Amino acid sequence: MENKLDDYISLLNEEQKQAVVHEGSPLLILAGAGSGKTRVITTKVAYLIKEKEVNPYSILAVTFTKKAANEMRTRAITLEPESEKAAIKTFHSFGSWFLRKYADRIGVSSSFTVYDDEGMALLLREVEPSLSSKEATAVAKQISLAKDYCCLPDDDLTFLASEFDIAEIYKKYNQRLRAIGNADFGDLIMLPYMSLKNDLSIASEVHARFKVIMVDEYQDSNIAQYKLLQELSGVKTGNDSYVCVVGDDDQSIYHFRGAEVKNILSFPDQFPGTQIIKLEKNYRSMGLILKAADAVVSHNVSRLGKTLEATRGEGKKPVLAYLEDQTQEAQFCSELIMKSLEKGGSYNDWAILYRTNAQSLTFEKEFIRKKIPYKIIGSLKFYEREEIKDTLAYLSFFVNKKDVVSFRRIVNKPVRGIGDKTLDKIIQSATVYNQEKDDFEYKDLISALKDIKSDLTKKAQEGAENFIHLYEKWETNFDPEKNLSEFIKKLIIDSGLEDLHKAGDNIEGTQRVMNLHELVNAGVPYKCTLEGLIDFLDAINLDRLIEEENELSSDEFVTLITLHNTKGLEYNKVIITGLEDGVFPRQDKLGADLEEERRLFYVGITRAKDELYITCTKRRLMYGSFKMMQPSVFLSEAKDAFKVIGQKPVPYAYNTYSPYGARSFGSQGSGAEGDSKWKVGVKVYHDDYGYGIITSAKTTEENEFLIEVNFESGYRKRFLPVYQSRSLTIIKD
């Protein structure tokens, strides 16, 4: 045990050693992907205690997840048992400890409980009964965001863009929260910050206790956590605490959760005299993979800058595959996996990365057909997601109106005033005893609903009529000349499921509507007939059965995972899919958020240890129709980093095609009359690219009218207006 720490330090590279033994001035350890930062921070804790004789009781080390905190504590204790006395915590567990210690001076009960989003919403409905359940959930999110910025009810809250009187509701909520002595998650950071800032006696006690303050994953900190660090360190009052933060500005990808990359970028300015030590030796990825990562992230302006150096050699050049569509994309992935197995590889070697959860469906279907075991990390399998189950229940009930299970799920979703007791009555009325057969018979539930409708409350009657009308309307929506996706699309809209889950997306930051669109895509191969619908549902049920069999027969699996969920993980072989503008980067990220999207690509690339593949499709199914895609802007930025296979799509207008190749939209805007409005200098708005101005307008040799637009986002695009009636509009002065 005596030599364990010395032996450990001897294994560190020069920059890691410098970071471990550094003392005095504030320290920013800029730790690149795979550079061994956890080893450095845990060794530093042990080193301070054993070699510098720092009292472990005076060390505070915080990180963001319980798993990371436990790992840090375990590794530090292994090197130096006295590390057990150090405060190694998550930000929120430190906040909880702080509030309990100083509860009587802060205004909370020492036995407080912490409200999560659901608890906040319930309390909000107590203080503001006019709020619906959904509205209370939305307000809870807004109050949480305010607390993440350390904003009180009397502060300027316009940045929340709330449709409610958020200041008044927030004030009432906080008063009730204080009155009952409880706290919410936002309080665990904001209240310690405010206490340290406003109560000199608490501040002096805390500064006397903690002489060493270390923060891991600092690039993920939000404004409240940044302000708390400033107060803990006493940097504003000249306190002599030693401050060390570890992070990577190139891996700041959680702005949607409140993380602010500027916290790490401005650290040297906020903590004068800061020394920066860069950990650039990468122990994970091969050299040519790291060159691709650097080629991408070097285009970001807001970064401190570093270049990763491989310790494992150059390896294979990453591959960029241009493919026809997402079906070919999934086939490409499955072929790579199967070929690697023939050479002795493992399913566990592989990870398929994508920007949004909705993209998983095509891979799931392909892997089920090929009997490739897979596991989705961080989310449910496609057909297990709530919004997908809702839609399939609507479709299943349409096929069989005696399907009581589906009926129970959908008749009051969205809410139609049909509660559980009413639902039981309806189902009971559908059950009829036949004396002659001495058995029960079951009517279809639409008929039962019609029979019992007059006995329901007025609100339930309206809901029943709405539900009956939906199904009678849909019976006329079959058209054998179309594909089933048209039917599914109408069902999702008419039933209210799209609006329901769109509202949920806005409140929870989820992507349920995108998943619904992907289900619409799944209906493309089937005819818009009752037989086509039955075949569609049969195929899904068969897929799920095969999926269960595959799970039972294999301990190995391919990982399917979103790019955000890969943070901190690594895989031998990685395929990053969907590198098209509008998919990755997402179309709503093409402006100010483009640098974060680029950092997300960097994170994905640096998950790969041995092999990296990138895919880009020429066209992609979007809500039942093929949309012609442009290669991601990131690919042109790093074009020399990849070995290219397949043919890169040539520049073209941003058109939409039906699954059978026919243009989706009619001739609106065509001809001399239509063309005359698309003039040079006219201002336009595009759903994907934002505001722009027409810089060129002409008729091509193929007799098609073509315009070129310069957008404020920096993009320059060409369009055939005849096919852009839904996405490109003229802005009138």
Side-chain angles (χ1 to χ4, degrees), residues 315-329:
K316 294 181 179 179
K317 192 169 187 176
V319 172
L320 166 59
Y322 288 111
L323 304 164
E324 188 65 24
D325 55 29
Q326 63 219 67
T327 299
Q328 194 178 94
E329 180 180 55

Side-chain angles (χ1 to χ4, degrees), residues 507-691:
I507 292 169
E508 302 164 23
T510 50
Q511 298 167 355
R512 291 178 177 177
V513 171
M514 294 184 72
N515 292 335
L516 291 174
H517 290 185
E518 201 62 32
L519 184 65
V520 169
N521 292 342
V524 168
Y526 302 88
K527 286 186 177 181
C528 189
T529 61
L530 181 60
E531 293 75 16
L533 175 56
I534 293 170
D535 289 344
F536 172 75
L537 293 171
D538 281 349
I540 289 175
N541 290 328
L542 181 59
D543 279 354
R544 291 158 93 174
L545 179 63
I546 297 173
E547 177 184 296
E548 290 175 5
E549 292 173 353
N550 287 349
E551 285 180 346
L552 293 172
S553 64
S554 178
D555 294 327
E556 292 192 351
F557 52 83
V558 175
T559 297
L560 299 181
I561 187 169
T562 65
L563 283 142
H564 277 105
N565 282 327
T566 62
K567 183 78 183 304
L569 304 177
E570 59 183 41
Y571 306 93
N572 290 335
K573 301 174 183 183
V574 166
I575 310 173
I576 306 178
T577 60
L579 263 292
E580 302 113 33
D581 281 346
V583 177
F584 188 29
R586 271 176 46 181
Q587 62 187 35
D588 57 337
K589 305 290 186 182
L590 292 173
D593 293 327
L594 188 60
E595 289 209 352
E596 178 154 330
E597 290 285 286
R598 194 177 279 115
R599 291 194 292 269
L600 188 57
F601 190 27
Y602 170 86
V603 167
I605 291 172
T606 54
R607 299 311 94 194
K609 295 169 68 176
D610 302 324
E611 295 179 22
L612 173 68
Y613 302 85
I614 311 291
T615 64
C616 171
T617 66
K618 179 180 178 181
R619 58 180 189 163
R620 188 171 288 273
L621 266 175
M622 298 285 197
Y623 212 4
S625 295
F626 274 113
K627 187 174 185 179
M628 303 304 292
M629 309 303 293
Q630 301 280 13
S632 171
V633 62
F634 302 148
L635 298 182
S636 61
E637 293 174 347
K639 58 185 177 182
D640 295 331
F642 302 106
K643 173 186 175 183
V644 177
I645 61 176
Q647 188 171 358
K648 180 180 179 180
V650 296
Y652 44 73
Y654 198 81
N655 296 332
T656 302
Y657 289 84
S658 77
Y660 302 114
R663 286 156 178 166
S664 304
F665 307 142
S667 58
Q668 180 180 349
S670 64
E673 183 179 346
D675 296 344
S676 63
K677 62 184 180 180
W678 304 97
K679 298 177 181 178
V680 173
V682 169
K683 295 176 182 176
V684 297
Y685 178 82
H686 192 280
D687 289 346
D688 293 336
Y689 303 112
Y691 292 96

